[in-house]
């Protein structure tokens, strides 16, 4: 495991209960949403606890199918002042990538529900 990858992976565990003071994201110990956003843990099946980390060297992938939302994990690793210094996140469409130096951590998880404005009728 490269040093940069080790810092990113350590960042996952160090931020297990992290929460944005502005209310933009939260990790919730990997099982609940302290922000109580609509749609969190909509699937109450046992499979929501499945998590898998694979990789070597500079390339790692973390997959999970429950909470937290993938955007929250990326933010916890990159948002100032709590983020890993130098880490940047990129939305790659079907996943997020967090990069630090030569290391890439691919995050494959559930997306946060889209915020929808209420319909206004004339």
């Amino acid at each position: 495991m490269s040093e940069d990858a080790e810092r990113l992976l350590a960042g996952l565990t160090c931020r297990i209960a992290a929460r944005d003071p502005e209310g933009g994201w939260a990790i919730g110990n990997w099982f609940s949403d302290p922000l109580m956003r609509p749609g969190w843990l909509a699937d109450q099946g046992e499979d929501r606890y499945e998590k898998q980390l694979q990789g070597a060297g500079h390339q790692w992938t973390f997959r999970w199918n429950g909470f937290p939302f993938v955007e929250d994990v990326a933010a916890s690793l990159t948002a100032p002042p709590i983020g890993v210094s130098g880490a940047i996140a990129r939305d790659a469409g079907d996943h997020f990538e967090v990069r630090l130096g030569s290391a890439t951590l691919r995050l494959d998880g559930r997306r946060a529900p889209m915020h929808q404005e209420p319909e206004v009728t004339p």
Side-chain angles (χ1 to χ4, degrees):
M1 177 183 303
S2 72
E3 186 176 322
D4 289 335
E6 186 175 333
R7 285 184 59 213
L8 284 176
L9 296 176
L12 289 173
T13 57
C14 291
R15 287 156 181 84
I16 195 166
R19 178 179 177 175
D20 175 19
E22 307 273 325
W25 57 267
I27 302 301
N29 294 307
W30 290 86
F31 64 83
S32 68
D33 184 4
L35 303 178
M36 301 301 289
R37 291 168 286 189
W40 72 279
L41 291 181
D43 174 11
Q44 295 296 320
E46 289 298 316
D47 62 343
R48 74 176 186 264
Y49 297 110
E50 291 181 12
K51 294 168 185 67
Q52 180 182 44
L53 177 66
Q54 289 183 297
H58 299 294
Q59 304 294 318
W60 289 81
T61 298
F62 186 43
R63 290 184 179 91
W64 70 101
N65 60 351
F67 193 78
F69 299 123
V70 69
E71 297 90 345
D72 291 5
V73 176
S76 77
L77 291 171
T78 60
I82 194 172
V84 176
S85 181
I88 57 169
R90 178 178 79 86
D91 185 342
D94 66 337
H95 67 278
F96 268 76
E97 291 180 352
V98 178
R99 296 175 186 254
L100 178 65
S102 59
T104 301
L105 174 59
R106 178 184 170 129
L107 301 172
D108 285 326
R110 185 177 290 172
R111 294 282 184 146
M114 299 293 291
H115 175 73
Q116 295 179 359
E117 295 296 323
E119 290 185 31
V120 176
T121 55

